[in-house]
Amino acid sequence: MAFLSFPDGRRISDPSEIRTILDPVGVRLERWPIPADKELIALLALERPVPEESERLLAFLEPRFEQLRTTLGYQSRDLVSLSPSLPGLEALLERFLSCHTHDDDEIRYVIEGEGIFGFVLPDDSQVELTVLAGDYINVPRGAEHWFRLTPSRRIKAVRYFTSREGWVPLYTGRPVLSFREGTRI
Ligand SMILES: [Fe+2]
């Protein structure tokens, strides 16, 4: 389950407290449990699934996509699978380490591994949200944020799109604070 970190090392893991802090930014966080299926678990364990394996994996999660398609008009989804063995991983991550916005919502359903989204709050303070398997996050268009991996450098997430065009980083130039890496909770 997701937890929120502050630059001084404080952490919050209570979902309602996290929602209260992120509400003013418009970030939505939900729990979408991963279906307990043996084949799905095996597919999730693959470090670098080939396209056919990715499609089989996405098929298990299709009801979620249908829900987003019919309620919010989402048109497509794909699987992003990052791991240390992915060629060009660091260069890819570099694009999202700085504060940026998008012209479209950034929606991610984390299904394996973990990642960190950083946000700027209305008082200009900064927080980082570590998302884990089963966390669904919607970062609204225009919200300043950044993304990085945890030391495990491994995540699988479903990305949902209304259009591909809206999902490029627009850098804001705001420096990101240094966050103390604490122990996992
Ligand atoms: Fe982003």
Side-chain angles (χ1 to χ4, degrees):
M1 189 172 287
F3 61 88
L4 198 68
S5 306
F6 297 84
D8 63 5
R10 276 186 307 132
R11 289 188 175 199
I12 290 177
S13 54
D14 179 72
S16 63
E17 272 187 71
I18 292 173
R19 284 195 190 98
T20 301
I21 291 168
L22 294 182
D23 255 4
V25 188
V27 171
R28 268 208 355 260
L29 182 66
E30 293 176 19
R31 279 297 288 173
W32 285 6
I34 311 289
D37 181 281
K38 271 187 187 167
E39 186 190 354
L40 175 59
I41 290 166
L43 289 165
L44 288 172
L46 298 172
E47 186 159 327
R48 303 261 306 276
V50 298
E52 190 265 335
E53 290 165 333
S54 292
E55 275 307 312
R56 269 166 48 211
L57 202 158
L58 287 168
F60 281 98
L61 310 168
E62 210 60 354
R64 298 292 188 182
F65 175 49
E66 272 305 301
Q67 188 184 332
L68 288 172
R69 200 176 63 77
T70 52
T71 59
L72 298 173
Y74 274 72
Q75 299 295 323
S76 63
R77 85 287 184 265
D78 68 11
L79 176 72
V80 62
S81 186
L82 305 180
S83 65
S85 66
L86 182 72
L89 175 68
E90 298 308 320
L92 176 71
L93 291 172
E94 189 72 33
R95 297 181 62 206
F96 304 107
L97 289 177
S98 303
C99 262
H100 64 272
T101 62
H102 302 285
D103 285 340
D104 204 350
D105 291 5
E106 179 171 339
I107 297 191
R108 300 289 179 269
Y109 175 26
V110 183
I111 52 176
E112 194 261 338
E114 51 194 22
I116 299 172
F117 282 92
F119 300 104
V120 179
L121 301 181
D123 64 358
D124 277 348
S125 64
Q126 297 181 8
V127 291
E128 285 195 329
L129 181 74
T130 300
V131 286
L132 310 165
D135 288 326
Y136 164 92
I137 184 168
N138 183 333
V139 180
R141 63 181 171 181
E144 246 181 309
H145 66 281
W146 62 93
F147 177 81
R148 63 191 181 96
L149 288 182
T150 67
S152 76
R153 314 208 63 68
R154 185 175 162 127
I155 192 169
K156 280 189 186 63
V158 186
R159 310 188 294 180
Y160 300 97
F161 301 98
T162 50
S163 74
R164 299 269 176 174
E165 293 74 37
W167 204 76
V168 291
L170 306 168
Y171 298 106
T172 63
R174 184 194 298 264
V176 172
L177 299 178
S178 167
F179 282 75
R180 279 174 43 190
E181 296 283 358
T183 49
R184 286 271 310 278
I185 53 174

